[in-house]
Amino acid sequence: MRKLVKELSDLHDQPPEGIRVIVNEANVWDVAFEVEGPSATPFEGGVFKGRLVLGPDFPVAPPKGFFITKIFHPNVSQSGEICVNVLKKDWTADTGLRHVLVVIKCGSPVESSI
């Protein structure tokens, strides 16, 4: 728990570029984030909201990721669930939330310029 609180504090104070982490102090197991749409893409100026839900088995089990903002992308289900390997088969207990958020940004439509 102490490690999680420290990591969330670090993410809030020094977030990855283009990602904002909103720490819910009442429930650290539910982490909100916002990803900015990159310039020179159809997503420029957009802000894409999401959540990481950390279950009772975290960090042994990965968090579940969801976009709240409706997004059409092969890595995002119709319900908004984020399907990237780091949240599935590539998860390890040592995987940090910073890495998860960067992977989500890179695998989400906000990084696509095609």
Side-chain angles (χ1 to χ4, degrees):
M1 175 67 124
R2 198 173 317 156
K3 180 181 175 186
L4 173 61
V5 171
K6 168 126 176 59
E7 184 174 15
L8 290 174
S9 176
D10 290 347
L11 281 168
H12 181 265
D13 295 342
Q14 298 175 350
E17 184 177 344
I19 299 172
R20 179 175 170 238
V21 176
I22 301 100
V23 178
N24 178 353
E25 293 180 13
N27 181 4
V28 295
W29 304 104
D30 190 1
V31 180
F33 64 88
E34 296 177 348
V35 178
E36 297 174 3
S39 59
T41 72
F43 306 103
E44 182 175 13
V47 176
F48 301 86
K49 297 180 180 187
R51 293 175 48 217
L52 292 176
V53 179
L54 289 58
D57 294 337
F58 180 84
V60 175
K64 293 202 180 286
F66 299 91
F67 273 110
I68 297 166
T69 306
K70 289 286 187 190
I71 294 176
F72 181 74
H73 188 274
N75 289 347
V76 181
S77 74
Q78 287 185 358
S79 66
E81 183 176 1
I82 301 167
C83 302
V84 291
N85 286 341
V86 74
L87 294 176
K88 307 289 183 196
K89 67 178 185 167
D90 292 347
W91 177 261
T92 70
D94 294 329
T95 305
L97 294 180
R98 177 177 299 272
H99 177 70
V100 170
L101 291 167
V102 169
V103 168
I104 288 171
K105 181 179 180 198
C106 292
S108 73
V110 297
E111 281 298 302
S112 173
S113 59
I114 299 174

